[in-house]
Amino acid sequence: MEDTRDLAERTPRSERKRRDSFGMFDGYDSCSEESTSSSSSEDSEDEVVPSIPASLPIIKNNGQVYTYPDGKAGMATCEMCGMVGVRDAFYSKTKRFCSVSCSRSYSSNSKKASILARLQGKPPTKKAKVLQKQPLVAKLAAYAQYQASQQNQAKSKAVVPAETFDWGQYICSNNTIGAPVSCFKHAPMGMCWGAIEEGVRIEVQNSDTNLSTKVYWIAEIIKLAGFKALLRYEGFDGDNNKDFWCNLCIPEVHPVGWCASSGKPLVPPKSIQHKYSNWKAFLVKRLTGAKTLPPDFAAKVHENMQFPFKKLMRVEVVDKNYLCRTRVALVEQVIGGRLRLVYEESQDQSDDFWCHMYSPLIHNIGWSRSIGHRFKRSDVARKAEGQADAPAQYFHKVKDVDQSGDWFKDGMKLEAIDPLNLSAICVATVRKVLADGYLMIGIDGSEAVDGSDWFCYHSTSPSIFPVGFCEINEIELTPPRGYTKLPFKWFDYLREAGSIAAPVKLFNKEVPNHGFRQGMKLEAVDLMEPRLVCVATVTRIVHRLLRIHFDGWEDEYDQWVDCESPDLYPVGWCQLTGYQLQPPASQSNREMPQSVPKQKKKAQQYKGQKKKRKIPVGRRPFSQAGRRRSSFSGDEEQSPPPYPAQGPTRPRPRTHLHQTHKSESLLRMKEEAAEVDEFTFSQGTSDQESNGSGSYYIKQEP
């Protein structure tokens, strides 16, 4: 009865203590730099688990993970400390305790509160320190970890790791900012980033300590860049010597209070350990009224990292060799929502194509037939085992449009982003009107005779514009190849061609408040090499249109993309998903070796002096003989991510021939001399470069 009353008296005080400290500091009283014996045993054994060989079975009990060498042996749980181990290694005939100290501690009334606390999932209090002597199984696990670590070190010495790109250092050294996660609705957490901002407190592992076990401390977000945050431990105030960058979506980041609820110790960094005599009072004062992560933040991250597409699902995707048609492809790989698709007829899976699952380039099986789009019939007679058509609801939905009345007609002129040269907005023509609002668009002056490079855009696509869009927004419009009446004037061109401009009212005028700003950093797909995700910068904003510059490369490699493009990602997306990030190219890697002939670019007639283009060097999976207008090509000769990093200056070759199955006319077009018109865009400073203000379209002349 006395023991029962003692437990009842201790429990309310422990709960009141938890409430007084905001449920965040209960573990600190029993863990410090000087007394490591009371450190949480869960942490030390959690660190053993990842490196233990597969031959040692894993046992989980009450959230703790242990191993034992004999899978046939019986198991026992210590009634004092909760340690799990082989029953034969436990103390006494009853096998109730893992050691003599636990057996003696159990009989002590001063330890009963610790038992109750453990049953409730609470950390031990200051008056209930537990001497946790590890049984034989823990020693065996530690030895297994040591052997595994030695093997890992031997392997790492055999393979020289490539230099990794440090986003944090790059942002700080260039004094730039990263685009907020909320700008990327398609990215994980893009729709639920919420109020995560500077000043939010989190609990992270404390790396500034001499303790052998894993301990934690509170840190404040000083700066945000996408998923990554610059953190500063509480107590350092204005001292930034120990600041560090961390991806907020990794499992090691927790909301304030996680340590208390999980029984993990909070220990101040050793650099400032003696700065305050009462750290608990300091934290209570500092954290009163402060924000932290939502309690379900980790669960939301996990939920957002689940993707519906699975391996061997069948889809229709644009044929990278004939842009005017689609083909059947199989999902081979899914990384962060990006799909590696292998065309169905590919025998060795080398004929592949990368795109995001929300890309407008992929559709459900039967889409082409339903709208009247050209489609290459597959030579495969029947589906192989395990293959299935991806459900239609998995694909990006387009807006319903009314094609009755005043609608697009064949021969109408407009302006469009060239799918083979995404740095240019060109004079274009509606070549064919399909069902459900889809259009086949050809780039004037550069079309193949057979129309094999016509491209399918939806009428609501942000990549097509009415006549005069470039002029009103001070963007360089690329005139038709061979057109000599320069500077280009739409009114004259329409009259000479006997054509009319597509009505302005048919185009997408919606401009969302996307949140992008000029100079923001992000990770962007190089759509001319769609397996590559590169370090990039937003250099210009025209309503919903973004000019994306690949850091370390010339402006001629820039891309015009929509603000809602699924090929743009926040800083840290590659780290979060495990995708290979291409760092900025250095000048040395872009210079031409003497053995490689230089390609020239013919300057536009009114531009004057010629410029010589530098071709990236290094591994060249593509032919460099073709002109710059290349197709949406995946890498036919290299394995997709994750692939071995080639260092921070991995080349991004841009000119390559289509591979096989080309008509003679298209080959002639692609095998012209490697002289291509070069255009630059004007850095406009008008008020129209905004998210939604200003005139979006020019008024058409009658």
Side-chain angles (χ1 to χ4, degrees):
M1 294 295 294
E2 183 178 354
D3 293 345
T4 305
R5 286 195 301 272
D6 185 46
L7 288 172
E9 291 175 359
R10 290 177 183 272
T11 302
R13 286 198 297 270
S14 175
E15 292 177 352
R16 287 197 300 272
K17 179 179 179 181
R18 181 180 299 276
R19 289 194 296 269
D20 294 342
S21 62
F22 300 95
M24 63 188 173
F25 201 65
D26 294 3
Y28 175 69
D29 290 335
S30 59
C31 187
S32 65
E33 296 280 356
E34 287 78 14
S35 59
T36 60
S37 61
S38 60
S39 299
S40 173
S41 64
E42 292 86 347
D43 293 307
S44 61
E45 287 156 359
D46 282 350
E47 293 176 0
V48 171
V49 174
S51 298
I52 289 183
S55 60
L56 294 180
I58 295 178
I59 300 298
K60 294 185 178 181
N61 184 65
N62 296 329
Q64 304 179 39
V65 183
Y66 303 92
T67 64
Y68 63 99
D70 183 5
K72 298 180 181 179
M75 300 302 297
T77 302
C78 180
E79 296 182 18
M80 180 61 205
C81 68
M83 178 70 73
V84 177
V86 180
R87 180 178 296 277
D88 292 341
F90 270 43
Y91 174 73
S92 77
K93 294 181 180 180
T94 60
K95 308 299 182 185
R96 296 173 60 193
F97 309 103
C98 65
S99 63
V100 178
S101 61
C102 281
S103 176
R104 292 175 179 173
S105 298
Y106 187 83
S107 61
S108 173
N109 289 338
S110 62
K111 307 305 179 187
K112 298 297 176 65
S114 177
I115 300 172
L116 182 61
R118 289 182 183 280
L119 292 175
Q120 295 175 345
K122 301 176 182 178
T125 62
K126 182 177 181 180
K127 295 182 179 179
K129 294 181 180 179
V130 180
L131 179 62
Q132 296 177 357
K133 185 176 181 180
Q134 293 183 337
L136 175 62
V137 62
K139 296 179 181 179
L140 292 173
Y143 180 71
Q145 181 193 23
Y146 172 77
Q147 286 185 321
S149 64
Q150 294 296 316
Q151 294 175 358
N152 291 336
Q153 289 179 6
K155 292 179 180 179
S156 63
K157 291 179 180 178
V159 180
V160 179
E163 182 181 353
T164 56
F165 175 72
D166 187 346
W167 256 122
Q169 182 180 359
Y170 187 70
I171 288 176
C172 289
S173 60
N174 292 279
N175 193 26
T176 55
I177 58 175
V181 173
S182 56
C183 292
F184 309 87
K185 305 302 182 186
H186 59 280
M189 301 300 291
M191 299 293 288
C192 51
W193 196 242
I196 299 178
E197 57 190 8
E198 295 178 6
V200 168
R201 266 71 167 193
I202 59 177
E203 290 181 355
V204 293
Q205 185 177 350
N206 180 5
S207 59
D208 184 17
T209 178
N210 290 329
L211 293 174
S212 58
T213 56
K214 185 187 295 184
V215 295
Y216 299 83
W217 191 242
I218 310 279
E220 178 184 358
I221 297 177
I222 303 300
K223 184 175 183 178
L224 274 173
F227 290 119
K228 301 185 76 68
L230 181 63
L231 302 178
R232 181 175 300 168
Y233 290 124
E234 281 293 347
F236 277 90
D237 301 326
D239 184 2
N240 62 0
N241 287 329
K242 294 294 182 179
D243 289 1
F244 61 99
W245 285 87
C246 178
N247 194 313
L248 293 180
C249 292
I250 62 175
E252 290 76 13
V253 173
H254 309 281
V256 171
W258 176 84
C259 284
S261 61
S262 303
K264 306 297 182 182
L266 279 172
V267 178
K270 65 179 181 180
S271 302
I272 56 172
Q273 183 180 6
H274 303 291
K275 187 175 181 179
Y276 298 96
S277 58
N278 190 339
W279 278 103
K280 181 175 180 179
F282 165 80
L283 281 187
V284 171
K285 180 179 179 181
R286 182 63 64 90
L287 298 178
T288 301
K291 294 182 180 180
T292 188
L293 299 177
D296 60 344
F297 184 77
K300 284 187 176 180
V301 172
H302 177 75
E303 180 183 348
N304 276 253
M305 291 297 290
Q306 307 304 309
F307 307 103
F309 283 90
K310 305 301 179 186
K311 187 174 181 179
L312 296 183
M313 282 187 173
R314 301 170 78 245
V315 301
E316 288 185 11
V317 63
V318 64
D319 187 339
K320 64 184 180 183
N321 293 326
Y322 287 88
L323 300 184
C324 65
R325 71 184 185 189
T326 58
R327 296 170 61 184
V328 173
L330 299 173
V331 176
E332 178 61 26
Q333 204 170 354
V334 182
I335 304 179
R338 301 206 76 226
L339 311 177
R340 178 181 175 241
L341 304 174
V342 176
Y343 291 112
E344 194 170 47
E345 296 86 352
S346 178
Q347 299 297 325
D348 57 358
Q349 296 190 342
S350 62
D351 192 10
D352 62 357
F353 182 79
W354 280 91
C355 65
H356 193 272
M357 62 182 184
Y358 295 148
S359 170
L361 302 177
I362 62 171
H363 309 275
N364 58 289
I365 298 295
W367 172 84
S368 297
R369 174 178 293 182
S370 67
I371 70 163
H373 193 281
R374 290 178 62 180
F375 175 76
K376 180 185 178 183
R377 294 184 179 276
S378 175
D379 297 332
V380 179
R382 64 179 61 183
K383 299 178 186 177
E385 183 179 356
Q387 295 181 5
D389 295 348
Q393 61 267 26
Y394 286 4
F395 299 86
H396 179 68
K397 300 294 188 297
V398 295
K399 293 182 179 180
D400 293 331
V401 294
D402 182 9
Q403 295 187 218
S404 62
D406 195 7
W407 187 244
F408 290 97
K409 294 181 175 57
D410 294 358
M412 282 184 173
K413 299 293 183 181
L414 69 163
E415 297 174 5
I417 296 177
D418 185 351
L420 299 180
N421 182 7
L422 296 165
S423 66
I425 299 179
C426 306
V427 174
T429 303
V430 176
R431 292 302 180 188
K432 187 177 181 181
V433 178
L434 308 178
D436 296 342
Y438 287 95
L439 311 168
M440 296 303 296
I441 305 296
I443 303 300
D444 286 18
S446 301
E447 298 175 64
V449 176
D450 59 356
S452 57
D453 59 353
W454 293 353
F455 194 72
C456 185
Y457 280 121
H458 193 262
S459 60
T460 61
S461 170
S463 297
I464 59 174
F465 318 95
V467 164
F469 172 82
C470 286
E471 181 180 353
I472 194 65
N473 291 289
E474 299 181 357
I475 300 174
E476 192 75 43
L477 176 67
T478 303
R481 177 182 292 275
Y483 188 74
T484 58
K485 192 175 180 180
L486 301 175
F488 179 83
K489 295 295 183 182
W490 261 116
F491 185 77
D492 295 337
Y493 183 72
L494 290 173
R495 183 173 54 189
E496 294 168 5
S499 302
I500 61 172
V504 173
K505 65 181 181 180
L506 300 180
F507 293 84
N508 181 9
K509 306 178 186 65
E510 181 183 356
V511 181
N513 185 20
H514 47 69
F516 286 103
R517 296 292 180 268
Q518 187 170 318
M520 282 182 171
K521 298 291 182 181
L522 70 164
E523 298 175 3
V525 175
D526 178 357
L527 292 172
M528 306 310 292
E529 307 285 352
R531 67 181 179 85
L532 303 181
V533 178
C534 312
V535 173
T537 306
V538 177
T539 57
R540 193 178 177 196
I541 302 173
V542 182
H543 305 290
R544 65 179 299 147
L545 200 60
L546 308 180
R547 181 83 174 186
I548 301 299
H549 174 76
F550 295 105
D551 291 15
W553 295 89
E554 292 86 354
D555 293 346
E556 65 185 66
Y557 297 123
D558 290 0
Q559 295 178 171
W560 285 109
V561 298
D562 182 59
C563 64
E564 295 181 344
S565 169
D567 296 305
L568 303 178
Y569 308 105
V571 167
W573 179 85
C574 282
Q575 178 191 10
L576 177 64
T577 60
Y579 207 94
Q580 177 70 48
L581 177 65
Q582 304 300 311
S586 65
Q587 184 65 32
S588 59
N589 270 55
R590 291 185 284 111
E591 289 179 352
M592 178 81 59
Q594 296 297 326
S595 59
V596 180
K598 294 185 179 181
Q599 288 184 335
K600 295 182 179 180
K601 299 189 72 163
K602 183 177 68 177
Q604 193 176 357
Q605 294 185 26
Y606 56 90
K607 289 292 181 181
Q609 199 171 11
K610 291 184 178 180
K611 295 183 180 179
K612 293 183 179 180
R613 177 182 171 201
K614 295 178 180 179
I615 300 177
V617 298
R619 295 182 64 185
R620 280 189 168 82
F622 304 109
S623 167
Q624 297 289 342
R627 66 192 183 100
R628 184 164 170 244
R629 283 175 50 86
S630 55
S631 92
F632 289 84
S633 175
D635 191 340
E636 292 83 359
E637 299 182 18
Q638 292 185 4
S639 59
Y643 42 78
Q646 299 298 319
T649 56
R650 186 175 179 87
R652 296 170 58 245
R654 305 295 297 226
T655 58
H656 55 280
L657 289 173
H658 296 314
Q659 296 300 313
T660 56
H661 310 296
K662 280 299 187 181
S663 65
E664 293 183 2
S665 59
L666 186 58
L667 283 174
R668 284 198 300 270
M669 181 186 73
K670 300 300 178 184
E671 292 175 350
E672 294 174 357
E675 297 181 351
V676 62
D677 294 338
E678 179 179 5
F679 301 98
T680 58
F681 64 90
S682 303
Q683 292 288 352
T685 56
S686 66
D687 292 336
Q688 296 165 17
E689 294 190 26
S690 64
N691 284 347
S693 62
S695 175
Y696 189 49
Y697 299 116
I698 190 171
K699 186 176 181 181
Q700 295 182 13
E701 299 184 47

